[in-house]
Amino acid sequence: MKKYLLIAAVALPLVVLFGMMFARQARLSRGSQVVLPIEGFDPRDLLSGHYLTYRINYGASADCYGGQGAGRKLYACLKKKSGDEGLYRASRFIGADDILDSDCSLFIAGRCENGRFAAGVEKFYIPEQHAASLDKAVRTGKGKIVLKVSGSGAAAIQDLLINGKSWREYQEQ
Amino acid sequence: MKPQKLAVQLAEWEKQGLITAEQSGGIIDYESSRRTVPWVVYSFIMLGVTIVAVGIISLIAANWSDIPAGMKLTADFGLLIGLAACLCRFGDGAKPAVFDAVAAFFIFLCLASIGLISQIYHTGGELYQALFLWCCITLPVTLFAFKRFIPNLWAAAFLTAVIAYCFHETRLGGAEGVYRLALFWSLPLSVFLAAVFCRRMRPLGLLARPLFFWSAMFLLGATVYFDSAHSSGFILQHSSHPVRLFHYGGYGTGQAVASATVFYALIDVLTVAALAAIFYMKSLDRKTRILLGLLAALFCIMMNMYGIIDYAAYQKHYSSYAADYPLFLKLLGPAVCISMLLLLSFLFAGLNFQRLFNLCVNLIGLRFLIIYFQVFGSLATTGIGLIVSGLIIIAAVVVWYRSRKKVQAWLGGLLR
């Protein structure tokens, strides 16, 4: 009995970690692609290394000011901007209660955190040696983030664009 | 006990006629047969495993972008599966130190895997989320550990996750922020209750000891905070009041009042729960239960003092050297701190934790010294004050020693 319990205990982390990886991969494979402009800087964390953190320029601001807004669930309704390299912008932010009744077909789900809308896609992990140059490029407004967005509004990061190219190509130049 | 020390002890008992030569030989044979890995070797093995694991986490964090993501994930899961197989191989308990070392490595690698997945898929979560996930998925393996390193590691990681959650957003405004702040200040009680729960739930028993330890540490931390905030005068600035820490809503706003209500209600409810739990911990002796109850009650009183004292009635101070800083507030901090340390030292003495008892006694002495520098300042008054305090302590100990049986009988009667 104890042996089977041990096998179950050891299998649990493997199953959860594999499930986590699989869910992320599935989101990347199936979602709709959107490109959004970003502005940001480069810190690092102890677990996953250097990352760029940025503020996504949705083109509209969510009502996240004041203490009551903290943690509130919101949806950024996205519309493709005409004639601007296929960029998307948020036409408006909709509350969790109103999203089903709205005419919005493409949206990102997020929450109010530290006074602004955050969708869990505000970090892009990069190799240490490219951190300074990518940080500079993003700071000067050359960065855009490519996301895949599922039907429920869950977003996953696909790529970071600098001057319209993937960051890897940009670094190779 | 070391083999040489045991042999000397047995020889002494044999000489005194307490045991026979056969019994002495039997004890030596028994102790030799059950000898396990010495704790020093075990500790160094765990230190080595920890350093290797931190190295792997650091390697992963370096983000080797030239290696395809699929290859990195395959290598990571391959290593995890290999370690899982080793754990099943050593699960019979024949080599407990090896099992613990492999389990520790497996647990650390789970954390590294969370970091790797986060890096590859840019998941962008908070540190507390990664730590909570790590604690959840590794709890079952932790419960199979043979020695204390892994349960201690798990408890420390879990409590770090709780604290990181409490402060993950520096603006603690809004309904959620109020609860997070209240949760943080109730940690001595909530961790104590968690420890009692683990003690009663047999599979979680390994976690009880580290949780009791951290509960005592949080209690000391809250006491030191109370003491320093009051004795230094910082409490008369808004930011040092526990319900207003990082509270951008400011003094007297609706949110601050809501925070205070939740804060005091949670502390009071948890104190009642802790007292009830202590009362029903029949496996502990009465003296220990009384001391635990007194500690919980004193903590509750200390935290409620933040609400009872009308700080707004005092003149605001932005310097701890203000001469007219009220003597009542100057002395309240040390009085609470010394009382708490005294109760803790009695508790540790009762539990036979000599080192922790000595630590508390030394801290009491240090606090007495600091009081006189804080309150009186000059060397002459400090000297007289310390002599008087020392004499009072000696007199109290003598009185206690002479009448301890009566006091113990009286204290014991309370729980009958």
Side-chain angles (χ1 to χ4, degrees):
Chain A
M1 182 63 184
K2 197 185 169 191
K3 191 181 172 188
Y4 293 116
L5 282 175
L6 176 62
I7 291 170
V10 164
L12 176 72
L14 293 171
V15 171
V16 172
L17 291 170
F18 188 79
M20 226 172 97
M21 184 195 77
F22 186 77
R24 286 281 159 180
Q25 190 59 50
R27 199 182 287 177
L28 273 180
S29 316
R30 291 181 196 154
S32 312
Q33 183 173 303
V34 297
V35 184
L36 293 159
I38 54 172
E39 300 146 0
F41 59 97
D42 152 48
R44 70 175 182 174
D45 74 33
L46 294 173
L47 271 186
S48 305
H50 276 263
Y51 61 88
L52 287 166
T53 184
Y54 40 78
R55 190 176 292 192
I56 296 177
N57 183 356
Y58 287 101
S61 55
D63 181 19
C64 285
Y65 300 103
Q68 298 307 318
R72 192 156 66 101
K73 195 165 186 184
L74 280 179
Y75 292 85
C77 184
L78 299 175
K79 288 269 188 289
K80 197 167 190 176
K81 213 176 160 191
S82 56
D84 192 5
E85 305 164 14
L87 281 182
Y88 280 76
R89 292 295 172 108
S91 58
R92 64 190 191 280
F93 287 86
I94 306 169
D97 299 335
D98 305 323
I99 188 68
L100 289 175
D101 301 331
S102 73
D103 58 348
C104 189
S105 57
L106 184 61
F107 49 83
I108 295 180
R111 285 182 186 277
C112 285
E113 278 176 20
N114 287 317
R116 60 173 184 265
F117 178 77
V121 287
E122 289 78 19
K123 281 182 183 176
F124 189 91
Y125 289 93
I126 47 173
E128 193 173 8
Q129 66 270 27
H130 303 314
S133 60
L134 289 173
D135 174 40
K136 194 176 167 189
V138 171
R139 273 177 195 273
T140 49
K142 295 173 183 172
K144 292 181 188 71
I145 199 80
V146 184
L147 305 177
K148 286 277 190 168
V149 185
S150 73
S152 64
I157 298 174
Q158 191 177 36
D159 203 358
L160 169 72
L161 303 181
I162 306 291
N163 286 338
K165 292 178 181 171
S166 173
W167 68 272
R168 288 170 200 273
E169 289 173 42
Y170 173 78
Q171 285 304 126
E172 283 167 8
Q173 281 178 353
Chain B
M1 197 182 283
K2 286 178 183 174
Q4 299 92 331
K5 205 173 171 184
L6 179 69
V8 171
Q9 195 80 63
L10 289 171
E12 174 64 23
W13 289 340
E14 207 182 309
K15 198 175 155 187
Q16 296 298 325
L18 296 170
I19 54 171
T20 62
E22 283 166 10
Q23 285 171 327
S24 171
I27 292 168
I28 288 172
D29 289 345
Y30 171 73
E31 286 297 322
S32 321
S33 67
R34 72 178 197 100
R35 191 130 289 142
T36 54
V37 177
W39 63 269
V40 176
V41 176
Y42 176 82
S43 301
F44 274 110
I45 289 172
M46 290 306 170
L47 178 69
V49 168
T50 307
I51 291 170
V52 170
V54 172
I56 289 175
I57 291 172
S58 185
L59 268 181
I60 287 172
N63 195 338
W64 302 78
S65 63
D66 294 336
I67 304 173
M71 194 182 281
K72 284 192 270 192
L73 287 168
T74 307
D76 179 65
F77 277 100
L79 197 53
L80 273 175
I81 291 167
L83 287 169
C86 282
L87 277 177
C88 294
R89 160 74 181 76
F90 292 108
D92 57 4
K95 291 180 178 174
V98 176
F99 179 88
D100 273 19
V102 177
F105 196 46
F106 178 76
I107 286 169
F108 276 122
L109 200 66
C110 286
L111 181 64
S113 304
I114 293 170
L116 180 67
I117 293 169
S118 181
Q119 185 189 80
I120 289 174
Y121 295 102
H122 309 283
T123 54
E126 299 283 344
L127 175 69
Y128 78 88
Q129 291 171 322
L131 289 175
F132 273 133
L133 175 65
W134 184 43
C135 290
C136 286
I137 63 176
T138 57
L139 176 62
V141 176
T142 301
L143 300 179
F144 279 91
F146 288 94
K147 293 201 176 186
R148 285 188 203 150
F149 176 81
I150 295 174
N152 284 338
L153 172 74
W154 191 92
F158 181 74
L159 295 171
T160 307
V162 173
I163 294 170
Y165 165 72
C166 290
F167 292 100
H168 82 273
E169 207 177 348
T170 49
R171 291 180 186 187
L172 287 171
E176 203 195 333
V178 169
Y179 294 121
R180 290 208 307 270
L181 202 51
L183 173 68
F184 173 73
W185 287 105
S186 72
L187 276 177
L189 292 168
S190 47
V191 175
F192 174 77
L193 285 168
V196 173
F197 177 75
C198 289
R199 199 165 182 269
R200 287 192 70 88
M201 296 290 290
R202 212 175 158 205
L204 299 172
L206 275 173
L207 298 171
R209 209 178 159 117
L211 289 177
F212 275 126
F213 170 79
W214 283 112
S215 170
M217 291 302 108
F218 286 132
L219 181 70
L220 267 181
T223 308
V224 168
Y225 183 84
F226 181 89
D227 184 357
S228 54
H230 285 80
S231 57
S232 67
F234 291 150
I235 194 68
L236 296 186
Q237 299 171 40
H238 307 156
S239 58
S240 63
H241 192 292
V243 296
R244 295 183 191 104
L245 267 186
F246 308 113
H247 208 296
Y248 74 99
Y251 209 46
T253 61
Q255 287 160 28
V257 173
S259 314
T261 309
V262 173
F263 170 76
Y264 297 119
L266 188 66
I267 296 280
D268 296 348
V269 167
L270 286 176
T271 305
V272 173
L275 289 172
I278 291 163
F279 186 77
Y280 286 107
M281 283 167 80
K282 301 285 185 190
S283 55
L284 291 179
D285 66 72
R286 280 196 205 97
K287 199 170 66 179
T288 308
R289 282 154 66 201
I290 289 168
L291 286 168
L292 283 172
L294 287 174
L295 277 166
L298 181 59
F299 174 74
C300 181
I301 293 167
M302 178 179 85
M303 298 313 274
N304 275 281
M305 274 183 198
Y306 286 115
I308 294 164
I309 298 167
D310 183 11
Y311 298 102
Y314 293 100
Q315 192 190 336
K316 273 188 187 176
H317 285 268
Y318 294 98
S319 160
S320 54
Y321 301 105
D324 58 342
Y325 180 60
L327 188 65
F328 164 66
L329 292 185
K330 273 184 186 176
L331 290 174
L332 181 66
V336 169
C337 184
I338 289 168
S339 309
M340 195 71 90
L341 285 169
L342 266 175
L343 284 175
L344 272 174
S345 62
F346 290 153
L347 178 71
F348 292 141
L351 294 170
N352 217 11
F353 294 160
Q354 202 177 343
R355 283 179 197 160
L356 287 172
F357 169 78
N358 286 336
L359 175 73
C360 286
V361 171
N362 286 327
L363 287 175
I364 291 170
L366 186 67
R367 191 64 194 93
F368 264 106
L369 180 68
I370 296 170
I371 290 175
Y372 287 101
F373 282 119
Q374 278 180 328
V375 178
F376 300 113
S378 86
L379 283 174
T381 47
T382 302
I384 293 166
L386 286 173
I387 291 166
V388 171
S389 301
L391 289 173
I392 291 170
I393 291 170
I394 292 167
V397 169
V398 170
V399 171
W400 161 259
Y401 188 73
R402 284 189 176 169
S403 57
R404 67 189 189 283
K405 283 183 182 166
K406 283 181 195 166
V407 176
Q408 276 173 355
W410 178 76
L411 286 174
L414 288 177
L415 277 183
R416 277 208 181 104

